[in-house]
């Protein structure tokens, strides 16, 4: 889950909780004050009932009753209770069953009480006199209040549902706009490769975190470009400075070997010098290639390459090194479309990488059968090189891509431990990978996985191959 989605979900959750809390508060507040008004109306009727019943024969009682009839609307299902309780008699005894016991218990304790049972409301007062207790209770229902509260509840639920949808949409837009500069930065960074380290991220000069991150990336790219240029210069200079004296040593050794009258000791020494200078030349060539593929390859020519044609070129190259090889090319799994065999890269480097692996397969198998197969799956081209050679010890497999490492079972073979690391660097430069399955004494199976060239790369290369005069 990316950060934008996390921010959207967090914003949605927090805002929904706030809206839910606000709706709950509104409902409880409205519920309290709606029924509070109804309770007050009930309590007013309790006072009126007491006045009427306690002064039945007086004029004031008739006045109160007239006021009640003229100005007080009768409540739905209104019922009155005026219950004198003789002194010494329990409150709970001989009372109507419709009066709730909890309500009566509250009356006995506090002399005044309210109670609600579903949609039926009770309000009452307990009056004490020297001779008796008087219980005055009025009950009624409030259907309109309940109906209003139900409407309010439905409105709040509907409003909450609509609100969370709006909140989710707003959160999505908010997070999208918030992380838009980050997405643009990621896109720009992905476009910066070893071939275009001179590119920089755009910054607007602000002091926010995004611009600070952009400046940090630009500083890092500057340091990387400087380091690569230094390495590039070193590789170029070393290539010239090291090869020149080696060429002189080798040439002088060859010239001395042609001189007549050399003793066996002199002849042996000159042959050793010639042989070791050749080894040193090969080692320097491998090291320089390893260093060059490790920094950028930006001066290399990149193009769309057909891997089936590349494999035939590799076979021709290895045939010159090991004429007695038994290389077998298997194209039985080729895809129907030739574009699925094309990769974007440098043909010379890829030929060198695959040639190193195929040459090792021939060398370490004593020129037994080596099978090179090619297939394309899931937008990847897989070149598989399988031999029946000495294999690699399992405990040493992790070290085979380290420069100068040689397995313990390769002492009978010449080598410098540079070929596989060089191949790995080239394949990584082409955004690919190398997978090895091996068993000591049984053979080795190496798979080179490369991404299929994107259609726009293939089209761009094809357009470059068309003469300008033929383009529309």
């Amino acid at each position: 889950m990316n950060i934008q989605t996390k921010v959207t979900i967090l914003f949605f959750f927090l805002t929904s909780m706030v809206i839910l809390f606000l709706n709950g508060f509104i409902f409880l507040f409205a519920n309290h004050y709606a029924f509070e008004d109804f309770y007050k109306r009930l309590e007013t009727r309790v006072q009126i009932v007491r006045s009427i019943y306690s002064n039945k024969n007086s004029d004031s009682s008739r006045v109160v009753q007239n006021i009640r009839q003229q100005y007080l609307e009768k409540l739905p299902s209104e019922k009155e209770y005026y219950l004198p309780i003789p002194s010494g008699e329990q409150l709970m005894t001989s009372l109507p069953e419709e009066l709730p016991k909890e309500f009566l218990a509250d009356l006995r304790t506090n002399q005044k009480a309210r109670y609600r049972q579903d949609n039926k409301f009770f309000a009452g007062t307990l009056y004490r006199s020297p001779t008796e207790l008087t219980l005055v209770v009025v009950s009624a229902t409030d259907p309109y209040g309940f109906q209003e509260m139900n409407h309010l509840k439905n409105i709040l639920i509907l409003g909450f549902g609509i609100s969370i949808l709006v909140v989710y949409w707003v959160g999505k837009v908010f997070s999208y706009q918030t992380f838009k500069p980050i997405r643009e930065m990621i896109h720009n960074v992905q476009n910066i490769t070893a071939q275009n380290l001179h590119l920089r991220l755009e910054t607007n000069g602000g002091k926010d975190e995004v611009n600070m991150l952009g400046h940090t990336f630009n500083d890092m790219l500057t340091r990387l470009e400087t380091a690569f240029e230094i390495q590039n210069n070193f590789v170029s200079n070393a290539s010239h400075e090291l090869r020149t004296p080696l060429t002189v040593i080798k040439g002088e050794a060859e010239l001395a070997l042609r001189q007549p009258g050399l003793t066996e000791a002199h002849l042996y020494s000159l042959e050793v010098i010639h042989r070791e200078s050749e080894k040193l030349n090969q080692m320097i060539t491998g090291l320089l290639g390893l260093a060059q593929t490790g920094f950028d390859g930006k001066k290399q020519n990149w193009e769309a390459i057909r891997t089936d044609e590349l494999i035939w070129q590799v076979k021709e190259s290895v045939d010159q090194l090991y004429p007695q090889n038994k290389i077998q090319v298997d194209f039985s799994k080729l895809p129907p479309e030739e574009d699925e065999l094309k990769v974007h890269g440098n043909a010379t480097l890829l030929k060198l990488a695959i040639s190193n692996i195929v040459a090792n397969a021939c060398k370490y198998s004593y020129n037994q059968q080596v099978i090179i197969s090619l297939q394309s799956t899931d937008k990847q081209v897989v070149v598989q090189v399988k031999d029946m050679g000495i294999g690699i010890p399992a405990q040493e497999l992790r070290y085979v891509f380290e420069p100068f490492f040689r397995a313990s079972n390769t002492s009978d073979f010449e080598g410098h431990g540079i070929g596989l690391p060089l191949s790995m660097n080239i394949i990584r430069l082409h955004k690919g990978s190398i997978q090895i399955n091996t068993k000591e004494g049984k053979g080795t199976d190496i798979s080179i996985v490369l991404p299929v060239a994107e259609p726009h790369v293939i089209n761009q290369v094809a357009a470059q191959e068309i003469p300008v005069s033929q383009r529309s």
Side-chain angles (χ1 to χ4, degrees):
M1 184 183 297
N2 56 35
I3 297 179
Q4 178 181 329
T5 305
K6 290 181 180 178
V7 170
T8 302
I9 293 175
L10 182 61
F11 179 84
F12 171 76
F13 176 77
L14 293 178
T15 310
S16 298
M17 290 299 101
V18 171
I19 295 175
L20 183 61
F21 175 79
L22 181 62
N23 285 357
F25 177 79
I26 292 174
F27 182 79
L28 293 176
F29 185 83
N31 182 75
H32 173 76
Y33 280 96
F35 295 137
E36 178 69 20
D37 177 71
F38 193 76
Y39 276 124
K40 288 181 178 180
R41 293 162 68 184
L42 283 179
E43 290 172 348
T44 301
R45 281 160 171 75
V46 168
Q47 298 297 330
I48 293 174
V49 169
R50 177 176 176 271
S51 298
I52 292 174
Y53 280 91
S54 60
N55 302 288
K56 285 184 178 181
N57 299 322
S58 64
D59 293 336
S60 60
S61 175
R62 285 191 294 272
V63 171
V64 172
Q65 192 166 4
N66 290 334
I67 292 173
R68 173 187 179 186
Q69 292 174 352
Q70 292 178 12
Y71 298 101
L72 293 180
E73 179 185 358
K74 189 173 181 66
L75 297 176
S77 304
E78 182 177 346
K79 194 171 183 180
E80 302 168 354
Y81 301 87
Y82 185 84
L83 304 170
I85 303 172
S87 180
E89 187 174 329
Q90 294 294 328
L91 180 60
M92 300 296 183
T93 336
S94 303
L95 292 178
E97 294 182 357
E98 60 264 27
L99 295 178
K101 293 183 179 179
E102 294 85 353
F103 173 63
L104 296 175
D106 193 13
L107 272 173
R108 184 174 59 183
T109 304
N110 302 313
Q111 313 300 315
K112 190 175 182 180
R114 294 174 173 179
Y115 189 79
R116 190 179 81 181
Q117 191 175 49
D118 297 329
N119 191 26
K120 191 172 184 179
F121 294 80
F122 297 86
T125 305
L126 185 64
Y127 299 97
R128 294 184 179 274
S129 67
T131 58
E132 64 179 1
L133 292 174
T134 305
L135 177 64
V136 181
V137 177
V138 177
S139 68
T141 58
D142 187 14
Y144 304 109
F146 259 77
Q147 187 176 7
E148 291 175 359
M149 294 309 301
N150 283 333
H151 287 165
L152 177 61
K153 181 177 69 174
N154 293 334
I155 291 172
L156 292 176
I157 292 175
L158 179 61
F160 178 73
I162 296 174
S163 299
I164 61 176
L165 293 177
V166 173
V167 164
Y168 178 78
W169 181 80
V170 170
K172 201 170 182 64
V173 173
F174 168 77
S175 62
Y176 178 84
Q177 294 298 328
T178 300
F179 286 94
K180 185 177 180 180
I182 302 294
R183 286 194 305 277
E184 293 176 352
M185 184 176 296
I186 291 173
H187 176 72
N188 293 333
V189 170
Q190 288 175 340
N191 290 332
I192 298 176
T193 63
Q195 289 81 19
N196 54 10
L197 275 175
H198 62 281
L199 297 179
R200 295 293 182 270
L201 301 178
E202 294 184 3
T203 55
N204 56 21
K207 295 184 179 180
D208 56 89
E209 289 79 359
V210 174
N211 280 284
M212 292 175 63
L213 183 61
H215 286 301
T216 303
F217 268 117
N218 288 338
D219 293 340
M220 181 188 68
L221 290 171
T222 300
R223 294 193 297 271
L224 286 174
E225 185 180 21
T226 303
F228 286 162
E229 287 298 332
I230 293 174
Q231 186 174 353
N232 187 17
N233 292 333
F234 168 77
V235 169
S236 300
N237 294 333
S239 176
H240 179 267
E241 297 298 331
L242 293 176
R243 288 180 185 276
T244 300
L246 274 176
T247 303
V248 172
I249 293 172
K250 183 180 177 183
E252 291 296 329
E254 291 175 350
L255 183 62
L257 284 170
R258 296 175 184 175
Q259 298 298 322
L262 295 175
T263 64
E264 290 186 4
H266 290 161
L267 186 62
Y268 175 77
S269 296
L270 289 172
E271 289 176 347
V272 170
I273 292 173
H274 182 270
R275 184 171 62 251
E276 293 303 320
S277 65
E278 180 63 28
K279 287 183 180 179
L280 186 57
N281 185 50
Q282 293 176 2
M283 187 179 297
I284 289 175
T285 301
L287 286 174
L288 292 176
L290 185 63
Q292 192 170 17
T293 56
F295 72 87
D296 60 0
K298 64 183 178 183
K299 296 183 179 179
Q300 307 292 343
N301 181 29
W302 288 67
E303 57 187 342
I305 305 166
R306 283 191 55 161
T307 49
D308 54 343
E309 296 177 355
L310 183 64
I311 287 178
W312 286 118
Q313 296 174 14
V314 168
K315 185 179 184 307
E316 293 177 2
S317 177
V318 177
D319 285 344
Q320 297 176 4
L321 292 174
Y322 301 99
Q324 305 299 323
N325 71 73
K326 297 178 182 178
I327 297 176
Q328 179 181 345
V329 178
D330 179 11
F331 283 168
S332 61
K333 298 181 180 178
L334 290 183
E337 299 293 333
E338 67 175 39
D339 286 348
E340 296 181 19
L341 290 173
K342 293 183 178 180
V343 298
H344 185 229
N346 178 267
T348 303
L349 290 178
L350 284 177
K351 178 183 175 182
L352 175 61
I354 301 176
S355 295
N356 282 339
I357 294 174
V358 176
N360 282 348
C362 294
K363 179 171 66 173
Y364 293 115
S365 66
Y366 300 97
N367 279 330
Q368 296 185 67
Q369 186 183 51
V370 174
I371 301 175
I372 308 176
S373 60
L374 179 64
Q375 60 180 317
S376 177
T377 56
D378 298 330
K379 296 185 178 181
Q380 292 179 328
V381 175
V382 181
V383 179
Q384 188 177 35
V385 180
K386 186 175 182 179
D387 65 60
M388 295 180 291
I390 62 174
I392 304 171
Q395 65 274 16
E396 299 177 5
L397 186 59
R398 69 180 72 177
Y399 305 112
V400 294
F401 294 115
E402 294 184 5
F404 303 109
F405 174 80
R406 302 195 71 210
S408 58
N409 59 348
T410 60
S411 56
D412 295 336
F413 303 89
E414 289 188 1
H416 311 291
I418 298 175
L420 274 181
L422 177 59
S423 297
M424 173 59 84
N425 274 13
I426 294 174
I427 298 303
R428 283 179 175 172
L429 186 64
H430 290 76
K431 299 181 180 179
S433 62
I434 297 179
Q435 303 168 2
I436 299 181
N437 291 318
T438 183
K439 188 173 183 180
E440 189 175 5
K442 298 294 184 180
T444 302
D445 185 355
I446 297 181
S447 297
I448 302 167
V449 182
L450 294 167
V452 174
E454 297 292 337
H456 71 274
V457 174
I458 298 175
N459 295 335
Q460 182 179 3
V461 173
Q464 292 174 352
E465 294 175 351
I466 300 175
V468 176
S469 59
Q470 297 181 12
R471 298 180 190 175
S472 57

